[in-house]
Amino acid sequence: DGGITQSPKYLFRKEGQNVTLSCEQNLNHDAMYWYRQDPGQGLRLIYYSQIVNDFQKGDIAEGYSVSREKKESFPLTVTSAQKNPTAFYLCASSTVRRGNQPQHFGDGTRLSIL
Amino acid sequence: KQEVTQIPAALSVPEGENLVLNCSFTDSAIYNLQWFRQDPGKGLTSLLLIQSSQREQTSGRLNASLDKSSGRSTLYIAASQPGDSATYLCAVLMDSNYQLIWGAGTKLIIKP
C-alpha cells in the first residue's frame, strides 16, 4: 500500500543532543512537508521541499534542519538549538505544493525531553 | 496575517444526532479550504476539499460548505456514529504563497 512512514513513533532527546526523525513516502509525490503540532494550536510548518535537493523554511524553522537527497525521503533533524522540542511532529506529502490535491500524512513522531 | 479559528474546541453529542462544526478565517484570499480528521496519536486524513469558487462538497454523511466572502466554512455530519469521534481540523490554502494555515481543531465525542 502506498503511504508515508514516519519513524520512530516515540523519541526522547537529552539535553544538547541532536535527533533525527525519519519520513519516507512511496506515493511518488514531489512535495514533502514537516509540521509541528502542539496542544491547542494548529499545525505549524517547519520546512517544505518541492523537489530533490531543494527545500524552504516554513514559519518555525529555527532549531531544525532538513535534507532532500532522494524523492522518497525527507528527514528532519531537531538540533540542540531548539529549546522547546517537545511536540508531535507530522510529515506530509503532495503531488505539487500548489494544487487541488490534499496532503497525505504519516502517523507522526512524538518527541519528548529526558 | 491569516488566522483560522474553530469553535467549539470540544463537542460531545449522543449518537444519531446531526451536528455542525465551524471554521472561520480572516483573509478571504484563499485557494481552497480543506477539512481533515485526526484520530488520537495519529496523522491526518483528508475528508473534503472545497475550491474557492465552490460553495459545498459532499462525501457520504459529510457535507462541507464555504462562504468565502464572510470567511466561514461548516462541516455537517449527518446521523453521527461513535466511529466519528475524532478531532476535526480545517485549513485554508493561501492564494499568495500556497501555504496551508491551520485551525486548532474541534475534538468531537459521539456517545453511544
Side-chain angles (χ1 to χ4, degrees):
Chain A
D1 283 341
I4 300 179
T5 302
Q6 289 188 244
S7 63
K9 190 172 178 63
Y10 300 96
L11 188 58
F12 298 91
R13 195 190 88 170
K14 295 180 181 179
E15 200 73 33
Q17 186 182 42
N18 294 349
V19 293
T20 297
L21 285 61
S22 171
C23 177
E24 302 277 334
Q25 56 101 356
N26 61 3
L27 299 166
N28 199 33
H29 285 168
D30 289 307
M32 296 187 74
Y33 315 80
W34 275 105
Y35 291 97
R36 172 178 171 142
Q37 187 176 33
D38 293 282
Q41 297 187 38
L43 275 67
R44 291 182 290 168
L45 183 65
I46 305 173
Y47 269 98
Y48 66 93
S49 169
Q50 299 183 75
I51 195 169
V52 173
N53 292 323
D54 185 56
F55 46 83
Q56 306 294 328
K57 292 181 179 180
D59 296 325
I60 56 166
E62 186 174 348
Y64 301 97
S65 66
V66 294
S67 63
R68 187 90 185 273
E69 297 177 1
K70 297 187 299 182
K71 186 175 183 178
E72 304 79 19
S73 179
F74 192 41
L76 173 74
T77 296
V78 184
T79 75
S80 57
Q82 173 49 247
K83 298 306 180 188
N84 182 25
T86 298
F88 191 52
Y89 291 87
L90 287 160
C91 179
S93 70
S94 65
T95 51
V96 290
R97 185 157 184 262
R98 164 193 177 179
N100 301 328
Q101 298 300 316
Q103 294 176 12
H104 293 249
F105 284 81
D107 277 345
T109 292
R110 188 166 297 280
L111 176 61
S112 303
I113 294 197
L114 278 177
Chain B
K1 179 185 173 186
Q2 177 73 276
E3 292 184 4
V4 180
T5 304
Q6 292 187 248
I7 294 173
L11 182 63
S12 180
V13 300
E15 180 179 4
E17 282 199 6
N18 303 325
L19 57 98
V20 174
L21 306 181
N22 297 297
C23 174
S24 62
F25 48 95
T26 55
D27 184 348
S28 62
I30 64 171
Y31 191 77
N32 61 44
L33 184 142
Q34 304 178 32
W35 283 94
F36 290 83
R37 167 186 173 137
Q38 185 176 29
D39 292 293
K42 296 287 189 179
L44 281 66
T45 301
S46 175
L47 296 174
L48 290 164
L49 184 153
I50 311 177
Q51 299 299 338
S52 60
S53 58
Q54 295 177 321
R55 297 285 291 182
E56 65 178 341
Q57 282 287 335
T58 298
S59 176
R61 294 183 292 109
L62 304 180
N63 176 278
S65 68
L66 174 63
D67 185 340
K68 190 175 145 181
S69 60
S70 68
R72 293 182 181 182
S73 175
T74 62
L75 179 66
Y76 175 83
I77 302 177
S80 59
Q81 303 170 358
D84 294 330
S85 297
T87 296
Y88 291 80
L89 298 101
C90 74
V92 296
L93 187 67
M94 300 302 296
D95 248 344
S96 54
N97 58 9
Y98 302 106
Q99 181 170 332
L100 273 175
I101 307 298
W102 296 82
T106 294
K107 183 175 181 179
L108 177 64
I109 297 174
I110 307 297
K111 297 174 289 186

